């Protein structure tokens, strides 16, 4: 049986500093839920509050309908995977995974069955007798994961579990974690500062900043429909441009006027968030936003361009190689936007005002 987690008006303070500020949300049964944000935003603090390692100044945390504020960490039935793995160096792979079962007084035969099952799930059964010093980083991470899930916890907590691995191994491990989480249907709270990792692995993401949630949504909505400028800038690459409101269906940047549906409440000026892949390059200088290519970089599936606009601003543009057979050189071009997908914010960037 999986477990939901309810965070209700939770506050955490360190002296005068508020690390978690009146936070409320629900993590659903069997969900892989990610806390994402820059260093110091409060994501690990909140994870440790769920785990029972940090006290709660105000508010309540529930596992299903049970308040767990005053429940000791060892009684919460959680599995924890740390950034530094925290596996015992003097114990073999088998003994590391066995540790939590022994402390729960599980009979030896049952322990062995559970251990071999979980080692097979994380694909390291052949390494059961190896010592940690002879394991790669990825193998050590699998041991830590196996040790966390073998006790059949109600909730799995993962704190930056892949940050010590190289880029290629991180991609492999995040795929493994996602598959295992879905197979076991275990409610998982995952902490990372890596936006790509969060988008790839999560059912839902809470983007955090300064102890508050900036947006809680699915990965696709967070990328395609960011709720404010912070989210748009933190997730992926965004170009931000100021625009003037022409009417309810049109905006204007310099001489480039284009239609864009948004909730106009008398705005005169707005801010646009435009992803590099939402911009089209043309040699036709009679339309669009005028600019000059100052840098071209071939990156395999797309070409990266840095474009200096006539108004002095610089933006990034991606042109995918399946749509072009050339790399544009430093020359004058014009830009138009995929207006169906760009984001319109209030002029201060605090609120999204289009669908």
């Amino acid at each position: 049986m999986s477990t939901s987690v309810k965070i209700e008006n939770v506050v955490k303070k360190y002296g005068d500093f508020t690390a978690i500020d009146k936070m409320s949300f629900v993590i659903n049964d069997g969900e892989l839920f990610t806390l994402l944000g820059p260093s110091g935003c409060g994501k690990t603090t909140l994870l440790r509050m769920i785990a029972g390692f940090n006290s709660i100044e105000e508010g309540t945390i529930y596992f299903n309908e049970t308040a767990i504020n005053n429940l000791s960490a060892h009684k919460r039935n959680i599995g924890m995977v740390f950034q530094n793995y925290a596996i015992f160096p003097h114990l073999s792979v088998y003994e590391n995974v066995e540790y939590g079962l022994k402390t729960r007084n599980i009979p030896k035969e049952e322990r062995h069955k559970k251990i071999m099952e979980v080692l097979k799930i994380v694909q390291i059964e052949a390494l059961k007798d190896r010592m940690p010093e002879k394991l790669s980083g990825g193998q050590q991470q699998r041991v830590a994961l196996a040790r966390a899930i073998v006790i059949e916890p109600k909730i799995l907590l993962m704190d930056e579990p892949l940050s010590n691995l190289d880029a290629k191994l991180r991609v492999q491990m995040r795929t493994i974690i996602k598959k295992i989480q879905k197979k076991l249907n275990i409610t998982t709270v995952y902490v990372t500062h890596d936006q790509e990792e969060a988008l790839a692995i999560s059912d839902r993401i809470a983007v955090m900043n300064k102890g508050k949630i900036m947006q809680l949504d699915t990965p696709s909505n967070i990328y395609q429909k960011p709720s404010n400028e912070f989210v748009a800038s933190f997730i992926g690459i965004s170009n931000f441009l100021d625009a003037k409101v022409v009417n309810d269906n049109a905006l204007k940047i310099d001489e480039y006027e284009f239609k864009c549906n948004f909730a106009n409440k008398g705005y005169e000026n707005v801010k646009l968030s435009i992803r590099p892949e939402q911009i089209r390059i043309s040699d036709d200088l009679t339309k669009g936003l005028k600019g000059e290519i100052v840098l071209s970089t071939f990156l395999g599936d797309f070409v990266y361009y840095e474009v200096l606009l006539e108004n002095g601003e610089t933006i990034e543009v991606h042109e995918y190689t399946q749509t072009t057979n050339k790399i544009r050189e430093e020359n004058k071009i014009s830009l138009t936007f995929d207006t169906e997908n760009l984001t319109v914010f209030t002029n201060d960037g605090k609120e999204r005002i289009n669908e």
Side-chain angles (χ1 to χ4, degrees), residues 251-263:
L251 299 174
K252 190 174 185 180
I253 302 176
D254 296 339
E255 299 305 314
Y256 175 38
E257 186 174 319
F258 52 94
K259 291 185 177 181
C260 181
N261 292 323
F262 65 99

Side-chain angles (χ1 to χ4, degrees), residues 180-218:
I180 290 172
Q181 191 272 337
K182 293 304 176 190
K183 181 176 182 179
L184 299 178
N185 192 36
I186 182 171
T187 305
T188 301
V189 187
Y190 191 100
V191 164
T192 184
H193 65 275
D194 187 317
Q195 52 182 283
E196 182 180 302
E197 191 174 300
L199 291 172
I201 206 170
S202 312
D203 293 316
R204 287 190 301 155
I205 300 170
V207 181
M208 295 177 59
N209 189 39
K210 297 179 180 179
K212 294 180 178 291
I213 292 179
M214 299 288 101
Q215 184 172 354
L216 196 165
D217 215 325
T218 62

Side-chain angles (χ1 to χ4, degrees), residues 226-244:
S227 61
N228 53 54
E229 184 179 354
F230 175 83
V231 175
S233 62
F234 190 77
I235 304 292
I237 300 170
S238 284
N239 299 293
F240 296 99
L241 294 172
D242 294 327
K244 292 186 178 299

Side-chain angles (χ1 to χ4, degrees), residues 229-335:
E229 184 179 354
F230 175 83
V231 175
S233 62
F234 190 77
I235 304 292
I237 300 170
S238 284
N239 299 293
F240 296 99
L241 294 172
D242 294 327
K244 292 186 178 299
V245 178
V246 178
N247 54 51
D248 287 354
N249 294 304
L251 299 174
K252 190 174 185 180
I253 302 176
D254 296 339
E255 299 305 314
Y256 175 38
E257 186 174 319
F258 52 94
K259 291 185 177 181
C260 181
N261 292 323
F262 65 99
N264 188 2
K265 300 175 182 178
Y267 303 112
E268 294 183 6
N269 300 288
V270 294
K271 181 173 288 188
L272 298 183
S273 170
I274 310 166
R275 301 290 188 186
E277 67 271 18
Q278 295 170 348
I279 303 174
R280 306 289 172 258
I281 300 177
S282 173
D283 296 320
D284 183 356
L285 301 181
T286 63
K287 60 182 180 179
L289 198 59
K290 309 298 186 297
E292 181 180 359
I293 295 173
V294 296
L295 179 67
S296 304
T297 307
F298 177 74
L299 293 173
D301 58 339
F302 68 90
V303 182
Y304 164 95
Y305 295 107
E306 189 175 296
V307 178
L308 177 64
L309 302 179
E310 286 187 342
N311 63 16
E313 295 186 69
T314 300
I315 64 172
E316 298 180 36
V317 182
H318 294 171
E319 189 170 39
Y320 286 86
T321 50
Q322 68 263 32
T323 64
T324 182
N325 58 5
K326 65 178 180 178
I327 299 177
R328 300 173 188 272
E329 302 301 329
E330 298 179 2
N331 62 337
K332 300 282 186 180
I333 46 93
S334 67
L335 305 174

Side-chain angles (χ1 to χ4, degrees), residues 13 19-20 35 38 40 46 50 53 79 137 144 151 194 200 207 221-222 225 234 264 281 302 304 339-340 353:
K13 294 185 177 181
I20 301 295
L35 301 173
L46 181 60
I50 296 170
F53 301 151
I151 60 173
D194 187 317
V207 181
N221 279 347
I222 281 177
K225 299 180 179 181
F234 190 77
N264 188 2
I281 300 177
F302 68 90
Y304 164 95
T339 57
E340 292 294 319
I353 57 175

Side-chain angles (χ1 to χ4, degrees), residues 53-97:
F53 301 151
N54 284 350
S55 60
I56 303 170
E57 269 67 51
E58 296 178 30
T60 309
I61 297 178
Y62 299 88
F63 287 0
N64 287 335
E65 302 302 319
T66 303
I68 51 88
N69 287 40
N70 299 317
L71 193 65
S72 300
H74 70 278
K75 293 182 179 180
R76 296 190 183 190
N77 192 18
I78 60 167
M80 188 89 184
V81 180
F82 298 92
Q83 180 178 351
N84 62 356
Y85 317 139
I87 60 179
F88 301 118
H90 61 290
L91 299 179
S92 67
V93 168
Y94 185 98
E95 291 166 335
N96 262 282
V97 179

